[in-house]
Amino acid sequence: MNYTIFKMRFKAAVHIGDKSLTDSEMTIHADTVFSALCHEALKSNEGELEKLVSLSKEGSIILSDALPFIEQDYYIPKPIIHIEGNSESRSDDYGNKKAFKKLKYIPVDLIDTYLNGEFDAPYGLEDFAKLGKTDTRTLATIRQETKPYHVGTFTFFDNSGLYVIVGYEKEVDFIESLFNALSYSGIGGRRSSGLGKFEVERCGCEEFISLLNNTAAKKKMTLSVSMAKNEELEGCLVNATYTLKKRSGFVSSATYADRMLKKRDFYAFGAGSCFENTFEGDVFDVSQDGSHPVYRYAKPMFMGVNM
């Protein structure tokens, strides 16, 4: 498998909701990225949506979550693994323990430092604050009367943004064309208000190659929300440490039904979940009562974690 990175440098604030309109998350799950790419494929030449789904289901294309970068530093999810503090570091201090709980992302080049219990969590949080800031902006709906409502947004500072690792066996130019189209449409919510537009840059993946190819590591951490097929589930849960995320939402399609319908609720392993036994996952159909399939991307991208 080959790998490349697509960096997203946002030209405006982005609305990345989780549970409510006023949420302002800073990262985007792989299934949301995939759905956005599906919309761009649907707007393009006939058959490109089916092509994207087919490539993804067969594993010829895999995606990470859209994760943070600050200048030249790429951040990855904090591994969901118990870490023993190093007695010569501050890992056992009360303040450091609190900082460890708040920590969600660490620089990829400090993964070994983190696993050895030597990561300075308070400094890591301070440094991560350079990513951007949350805010709430007031928008308005204009029908018979104007009604204001509040939307949570995240604004990335200069030289920061999100990146997606794309693993590919073929058709990487096809994926690049979809990312380029998506940059004009924008990603996230409230795009009609100008949110979520970005500039995209494709670049190398040298910082990750040894980790992504480390199949000998006892533990493998997923860089994307993912879920095993039914027949894989029992095996992958052996000695696994993971979080579960509920993924839901409404179907964004004018041809799906004559009214707004919700997707079938779906539970996925969160990025940062660690497994001894890997799995392939799938692109699942989460439609219900509609006229066509609705795809939920849940293929894992694993990196080796040396304990």
Side-chain angles (χ1 to χ4, degrees):
M1 176 86 48
N2 303 300
Y3 297 94
T4 191
I5 284 177
F6 292 96
K7 280 186 171 181
M8 297 185 285
R9 301 181 187 272
F10 289 89
K11 299 186 287 186
V14 59
H15 170 63
I16 309 167
D18 186 15
K19 297 179 181 178
S20 72
L21 193 59
T22 55
D23 286 346
S24 53
E25 298 293 315
M26 65 183 72
T27 56
I28 306 174
H29 296 307
D31 56 355
T32 300
V33 175
F34 180 78
S35 293
L37 294 176
C38 283
H39 280 287
E40 295 306 319
L42 193 60
K43 291 188 295 185
S44 188
N45 296 330
E46 184 178 354
E48 292 210 342
L49 173 60
E50 291 75 14
K51 179 179 179 180
L52 175 61
V53 173
S54 176
L55 287 169
S56 300
K57 285 182 74 70
E58 71 186 34
S60 295
I61 294 289
I62 57 173
L63 307 172
S64 74
D65 280 7
L67 299 167
F69 72 86
I70 302 173
E71 296 182 349
Q72 302 304 314
D73 293 329
Y74 293 107
Y75 285 76
I76 58 173
K78 178 179 73 174
I80 303 172
I81 296 176
H82 176 69
I83 303 296
E84 294 289 345
N86 188 316
S87 60
E88 295 181 359
S89 72
R90 296 194 295 143
S91 299
D92 294 321
D93 293 352
Y94 176 71
N96 210 41
K97 285 183 177 179
K98 287 184 67 176
F100 260 98
K101 289 183 178 180
K102 293 181 180 179
L103 197 67
K104 293 183 178 180
Y105 302 95
I106 58 174
V108 65
D109 59 346
L110 294 180
I111 179 66
D112 289 336
T113 302
Y114 177 85
L115 295 172
N116 291 334
E118 299 171 350
F119 187 77
D120 189 335
Y123 176 78
L125 286 175
E126 180 182 338
D127 207 41
F128 194 71
K130 300 174 184 176
L131 180 69
K133 63 179 181 179
T134 59
D135 198 3
T136 302
R137 63 174 60 190
T138 301
L139 302 177
T141 56
I142 303 175
R143 294 191 179 95
Q144 293 182 341
E145 59 180 302
T146 301
K147 291 185 178 181
Y149 62 96
H150 303 291
V151 176
T153 62
F154 192 88
T155 300
F156 291 92
F157 294 152
D158 291 343
N159 299 316
S160 67
L162 300 177
Y163 72 95
V164 178
I165 303 174
V166 175
Y168 64 95
E169 293 178 347
K170 55 185 177 181
E171 298 287 358
V172 67
D173 291 340
F174 168 59
I175 299 300
E176 184 172 13
S177 69
L178 294 180
F179 268 102
N180 285 329
L182 181 60
S183 70
Y184 294 100
S185 302
I187 194 168
R190 297 303 184 265
R191 296 187 300 278
S192 61
S193 300
L195 302 180
K197 291 180 173 56
F198 59 90
E199 295 177 349
V200 65
E201 175 191 3
R202 181 180 169 187
C203 51
C205 204
E206 294 79 9
E207 295 87 347
F208 291 90
I209 293 300
S210 62
L211 296 169
L212 294 167
N213 290 330
N214 185 5
T215 57
K218 183 177 180 181
K219 290 277 190 179
K220 286 88 174 176
M221 180 178 78
T222 180
L223 297 177
S224 60
V225 290
S226 53
M227 179 47 63
K229 302 174 187 176
N230 287 339
E231 62 270 24
E232 299 175 308
L233 193 55
E234 183 177 356
C236 80
L237 291 178
V238 176
N239 297 326
T241 48
Y242 58 89
T243 58
L244 281 177
K245 291 187 173 292
K246 182 181 179 180
R247 309 295 293 147
S248 56
F250 286 90
V251 178
S252 176
S253 170
T255 61
Y256 183 70
D258 58 3
R259 66 190 188 281
M260 289 289 287
L261 292 178
K262 291 194 70 174
K263 303 173 186 177
R264 177 165 49 86
D265 288 344
F266 187 86
Y267 287 86
F269 299 121
S273 298
C274 294
F275 303 87
E276 289 186 3
N277 301 320
T278 58
F279 56 92
E280 289 186 6
D282 206 350
V283 179
F284 296 88
D285 182 4
V286 293
S287 62
Q288 50 182 0
D289 302 324
S291 62
H292 59 71
V294 177
Y295 300 111
R296 175 73 71 187
Y297 181 86
K299 303 280 285 190
M301 177 179 287
F302 287 110
M303 59 170 275
V305 178
N306 293 315
M307 297 296 295

